[in-house]
Amino acid sequence: MFPLNWKAIKEWVVLFVIAITIAMFLRTFIVEPRYVPTPSMVPTIRVDDRLYVEKLTPRFGTLQRGMIVTFLAPEQTGRDDYLVKRLIGLGGDVISIINGQLYVNGQAVYEPYLNGPMLSDYPETTVPEGKLFLMGDNRNHSQDSRAWGSIEVSCVKGQALFIYFPFGHIGSLWNQSMQFTEG
């Protein structure tokens, strides 16, 4: 039989505990994986994509139009999990959709990421202070702020970093910004 090396075992246990503690800290406060089960963000994020979400921006940074964020589903959805959508409007912004064109504060938004032209209009609406207006990129098949209204800023869990699976769809989602059309 081999003699037990208690010193080596103790070192491995300490290393294991440190590794688990660091992993739990990172997942709780910094970054976490997310699974996307719905088509509301197609083609940017597809059904069954897995992505990493960073949690620092909602706490310490500034949320900006165009970012893809995860947030606690509003009560009206009947869900108790997190959803993924694009941030369209901040508190005080005026949102409207006219003839399939999104307008923010009267400016037409350039949206090359959409799955197709929007088939319905949305009346001019002002986003209340302290709230956010969110929409999916698959606008004709997305339940979003057009259906359940603006959400509290405090409901945002994080900003999407990148898709890590499936391997054929790996890509960055980090710090996307909203662009307005000229003219």
Side-chain angles (χ1 to χ4, degrees), residues 45-105:
I45 301 171
R46 300 179 196 157
V47 176
D48 296 331
D49 276 358
R50 283 149 178 90
L51 50 96
Y52 281 115
V53 174
E54 65 86 11
K55 299 178 176 185
L56 296 175
T57 298
R59 291 185 184 135
F60 307 110
T62 303
L63 295 172
Q64 298 177 12
R65 291 181 214 96
M67 285 181 168
I68 298 172
V69 298
T70 61
F71 58 98
L72 187 59
E75 274 185 44
Q76 301 93 316
T77 65
R79 300 175 65 138
D80 62 354
D81 57 350
Y82 287 87
L83 303 177
V84 179
K85 304 285 183 202
R86 189 174 298 273
L87 198 164
I88 300 298
L90 305 167
D93 284 347
V94 178
I95 309 296
S96 63
I97 301 171
I98 302 167
N99 296 325
Q101 174 64 58
L102 172 66
Y103 293 88
V104 176
N105 298 325

Side-chain angles (χ1 to χ4, degrees), residues 142-159:
S142 174
Q143 289 292 313
D144 50 38
S145 288
R146 294 171 294 170
W148 30 257
S150 300
I151 67 155
E152 297 286 336
V153 172
S154 62
C155 291
V156 174
K157 176 88 168 191
Q159 177 185 187

Side-chain angles (χ1 to χ4, degrees), residues 117-130:
M118 288 182 278
L119 301 177
S120 62
D121 290 346
Y122 187 78
E124 190 172 281
T125 303
T126 301
V127 181
E129 290 300 327

Side-chain angles (χ1 to χ4, degrees), residues 2 14 16-17 28 42 54 73-74 76 100 102 127 137 179:
F2 296 104
V14 168
F16 181 74
V17 168
T28 302
V42 169
E54 65 86 11
Q76 301 93 316
L102 172 66
V127 181
D137 289 355
Q179 298 176 12

